[in-house]
Amino acid sequence: TIHPLLILSLLVSLILNWSVRPRRKLIAISFIVYIVVLAVSALYFVPELVAFARSPQSGVAPAEWSVRAHRWEVLSWLRGTICYAFFVPLLLALTKPAGPRVDPE
């Protein structure tokens, strides 16, 4: 349930800060990267987990599962690092004063 809440929070933050250009850019960066990471997760990580759960019926050799598991683990760490790094812009957005609001484009 964390992903829908996070998406909703980022979307609401983006809407509420739309007229503050420096905040809008920083929030949008985090939001877009998060959506891309979720898409990659849906296309690669989830199917690999499902395949692993069905591994006894798959006929895939244990050595192949070991290679796939290692690759999944490395890519998962990379995914986590990317998510962590691209939430730094959200922290930076907190440092930006509201200042004069601009007209929505």
Side-chain angles (χ1 to χ4, degrees):
T1 59
I2 189 71
H3 296 296
L5 292 174
L6 189 52
I7 290 170
L8 182 62
S9 297
L10 285 169
L11 193 55
V12 168
S13 296
L14 191 58
I15 291 167
L16 292 176
N17 288 282
W18 190 256
S19 62
V20 183
R21 187 175 303 234
R23 288 184 189 171
R24 175 178 53 193
K25 286 182 181 181
L26 293 168
I27 295 168
I29 288 168
S30 293
F31 183 67
I32 291 167
V33 169
Y34 187 68
I35 295 299
V36 169
V37 166
L38 282 180
V40 169
S41 294
L43 295 173
Y44 174 74
F45 288 96
V46 173
E48 279 294 293
L49 281 176
V50 170
F52 184 71
R54 295 182 182 152
S55 63
Q57 300 88 15
S58 70
V60 176
E64 174 63 21
W65 279 122
S66 179
V67 169
R68 287 172 70 173
H70 183 262
R71 179 177 45 241
W72 190 93
E73 184 177 16
V74 169
L75 292 175
S76 185
W77 277 100
L78 178 62
R79 173 181 62 162
T81 302
I82 288 169
C83 278
Y84 183 76
F86 278 95
F87 277 100
V88 170
L90 287 177
L91 295 174
L92 294 174
L94 290 172
T95 68
K96 303 298 179 193
R101 299 201 171 251
V102 297
D103 292 327
E105 299 172 345

